[in-house]
Amino acid sequence: ENLKASLRVQAILDAAAARGLYIGAICAAPSILGEKSLLDGKRATCFPSFASALANAIKVEDKVVTDDIFITAEGMGVSFAFGLALITVLYGEEKAEEIRISTRAG
């Protein structure tokens, strides 16, 4: 609620979307994008209790979703997968796979 109410956050989101910069949002945060209509017609996910805010998005049950400039994730339990999705869009699949492999325990 605090981020949604922040004029600075709203301005940053508007500027990033206008410039086509990647925007990542996890847990409740995709609801802010949905309420701003930034996710209209885009595939997206969020924490289930905030799904109504994605009214004009294509809601999917995947844990992490990338569509155009938006990377959304269901919640903190998938933060590693969310991080890998961010790495993928910024540095490529090869770098994301290298990091995924390097972090395996054992």
Side-chain angles (χ1 to χ4, degrees):
E1 292 299 316
N2 289 334
L3 291 175
K4 182 169 62 172
S6 168
L7 295 178
R8 181 158 172 78
V9 169
Q10 296 297 324
I12 290 169
L13 289 174
D14 291 340
R19 292 179 60 199
L21 301 176
Y22 289 111
I23 299 173
I26 188 170
C27 199
S31 69
I32 297 170
L33 303 177
E35 290 174 3
K36 291 183 69 57
S37 299
L38 294 174
L39 296 175
D40 288 4
K42 306 285 185 199
R43 295 174 63 251
T45 192
C46 68
F47 195 77
S49 61
F50 291 88
S52 64
L54 304 183
N56 296 314
I58 301 164
K59 291 175 262 190
V60 295
E61 294 187 19
D62 296 347
K63 301 296 183 187
V64 180
V65 177
T66 300
D67 191 336
D68 192 27
I69 63 169
F70 301 100
I71 304 93
T72 57
E74 185 178 82
M76 297 312 293
V78 298
S79 58
F80 186 76
F82 178 62
L84 289 176
L86 295 172
I87 292 167
T88 298
V89 298
L90 295 172
Y91 299 103
E93 185 67 40
E94 186 176 313
K95 180 53 102 176
E97 182 65 8
E98 175 187 325
I99 291 170
R100 185 188 66 75
I101 290 169
S102 72
T103 58
R104 283 192 205 162

